[in-house]
Amino acid sequence: RYGQRLMIAEVARRLAGETPGIDTDRNTKRVGWKIYQGPFNWVPQTFGLEAAKSGSSANIDVSKLDIEKGGGAEFNGFVTIETAGEYQFNVESDGGAILRLHDTVVVDNESVANGNRATQGKALLEKGTHPYTLTYLRGSEQKAKLSFSHSK
């Protein structure tokens, strides 16, 4: 059922062209985060899971969060797009990560269980504010690592 919704959302995004931004009065400069106890063998679907900790920060920095090996985290924030067009999104992690924009998967680097891996995805976006969710699985590397960026 979840996969069907993602497939429908992806088809709708392609048919509609550029995804419009949203109107929001929330603080778009902060990133909300939740940490989930593992161990997980894959990037967790967090719906229905109880977070062990939660908070917000100015950016995504897993080195400052106490995420156990095999544990998970979810980050929610906003990307501000100044010029409409196609954007590339880059995610690098030590375990696995899935990036969603407007609930549509843009980057999926869940296929790596251990070791650093960079993965990219593209999205057509209109000028405006776009919500994202970045779900992370901590790998078994010595240091937790997760980076997220975008460019036109």
Side-chain angles (χ1 to χ4, degrees):
R1 192 167 216 205
Y2 181 72
Q4 287 176 325
R5 284 191 313 203
L6 289 177
M7 187 181 303
I8 291 168
E10 176 65 17
V11 170
R13 181 178 68 86
R14 287 183 180 174
L15 292 175
E18 293 177 348
T19 302
I22 62 167
D23 291 326
T24 183
D25 57 358
R26 297 187 349 199
N27 183 349
T28 60
K29 302 296 183 199
R30 301 287 294 175
V31 176
W33 53 265
K34 293 180 182 178
I35 297 174
Y36 299 93
Q37 297 292 336
F40 300 105
N41 294 322
W42 55 87
V43 177
Q45 292 185 9
T46 58
F47 181 77
L49 293 180
E50 184 175 333
K53 296 180 191 174
S54 63
S56 68
S57 57
N59 55 26
I60 296 172
D61 187 352
V62 294
S63 69
K64 294 182 180 179
L65 301 175
D66 186 22
I67 305 169
E68 64 186 32
K69 291 178 183 177
E74 184 172 83
F75 300 89
N76 293 287
F78 299 92
V79 174
T80 301
I81 299 298
E82 298 297 331
T83 306
E86 183 176 75
Y87 284 81
Q88 178 169 304
F89 290 84
N90 306 295
V91 175
E92 185 174 356
S93 73
D94 65 307
I98 297 175
L99 173 66
R100 293 176 178 84
L101 287 172
H102 297 275
D103 293 327
T104 299
V105 174
V106 176
V107 177
D108 181 350
N109 84 350
E110 185 174 25
S111 61
V112 169
N114 294 302
N116 289 325
R117 177 175 177 189
T119 310
Q120 299 81 33
K122 294 184 178 183
L124 291 171
L125 300 172
E126 290 183 5
K127 178 180 177 178
T129 302
H130 300 269
Y132 71 83
T133 301
L134 181 57
T135 309
Y136 166 70
L137 170 67
R138 169 119 190 245
S140 63
E141 295 295 313
Q142 293 298 323
K143 288 186 168 185
K145 181 176 183 175
L146 178 66
S147 64
F148 159 58
S149 64
H150 69 281
S151 59
K152 187 160 183 181

